[in-house]
Amino acid sequence: MTIAVIYGGTRPNGNSELLADHAVQGLPAEKIYLKDYIIKPIEDMRHSPEGFQDRNDDYNSIIDRILPHDILIFSTPIYWYSMSGTMKNFVDRWSQTLRDPNYPDFKNKLATKKAYVIAVGGDNPSIKGLPMIQQFKYIFDFMGIEFGGYVLGEGSKPEDVLQDKKALFAVAELQNKLKI
């Protein structure tokens, strides 16, 4: 069992990153920081005769890194009650990869994976973060990815989430699941 953590935050050592790091502490996990890559927004070419075109960015290199893993952890701050724009750009590009001849089995390969979401927000995330969790669940359902669960933490300022005992407990429980 191998793990890839996909970090959608832009602040170094942000709260969502800290919480995700607790989940994989002591476990072998490949850490992918989306902020370190150029991921251009999707250019929807589904209905044009030439179809999707290569965006000449780093996106495919990230796909190549996550495909070998069994477990994907999506770690994102909650921005305006949703995933970060960085994470959304990444997921939006899956539409392109579904039609990319270089990835003919993309959906089938993702359907062999289990995914978790770890997110942190500052405005009652245990309630207001739930629509974002539902959004991830719809995405995973569409792709055939097993949804393993989620952890929502509360924090706004740096390291605030470390005071959220419920989130720390939940992420410790997640870590126990990942050890199996």
Side-chain angles (χ1 to χ4, degrees):
M1 176 195 64
T2 60
I3 302 169
V5 184
I6 304 156
Y7 296 94
T10 57
R11 181 172 63 197
N13 300 309
N15 285 305
S16 58
E17 180 181 338
L18 290 173
L19 202 55
D21 284 349
H22 275 281
V24 297
Q25 185 175 3
L27 300 173
E30 182 170 4
K31 297 180 177 186
I32 301 165
Y33 297 87
L34 297 178
K35 68 181 174 65
D36 294 340
Y37 296 89
I38 296 170
I39 305 170
K40 294 179 182 175
I42 191 158
E43 189 173 327
D44 189 353
M45 303 294 287
R46 287 176 295 167
H47 305 290
S48 68
E50 62 272 8
F52 285 102
Q53 301 298 304
D54 186 8
R55 300 287 287 141
N56 295 313
D57 62 5
D58 299 323
Y59 168 78
N60 285 345
S61 69
I62 300 167
I63 292 299
D64 292 339
R65 289 179 67 190
I66 70 167
L67 284 177
H69 294 286
D70 305 303
I71 294 176
L72 305 177
I73 298 174
F74 294 82
S75 170
T76 182
I78 301 173
Y79 289 155
W80 291 102
Y81 311 100
S82 189
M83 67 184 80
S84 69
T86 307
M87 182 72 74
K88 185 70 167 82
N89 273 346
F90 174 68
V91 173
D92 280 352
R93 290 285 296 278
W94 290 7
S95 294
Q96 180 176 343
T97 310
L98 285 167
R99 294 163 178 83
D100 188 334
N102 295 313
Y103 297 95
D105 294 327
F106 179 63
K107 189 171 183 177
N108 291 332
K109 286 182 180 178
L110 283 185
T112 67
K113 309 203 180 305
K114 189 174 201 175
Y116 296 89
V117 176
I118 297 175
V120 178
D123 184 14
N124 196 9
S126 62
I127 299 296
K128 295 179 180 179
L130 292 177
M132 179 198 64
I133 296 300
Q134 188 65 54
Q135 180 184 26
F136 270 109
K137 185 173 180 342
Y138 289 143
I139 292 163
F140 299 152
D141 285 349
F142 181 83
M143 297 302 287
I145 300 169
E146 179 184 350
F147 184 36
Y150 65 91
V151 176
L152 290 172
E154 186 161 359
S156 184
K157 295 178 185 167
E159 299 186 1
D160 271 358
V161 75
L162 299 177
Q163 305 308 309
D164 184 344
K165 302 298 182 203
K166 287 181 185 176
L168 292 173
F169 179 80
V171 86
E173 291 293 306
L174 173 55
Q175 184 185 47
N176 288 333
K177 286 182 191 176
L178 296 173
K179 287 180 181 177
I180 297 173

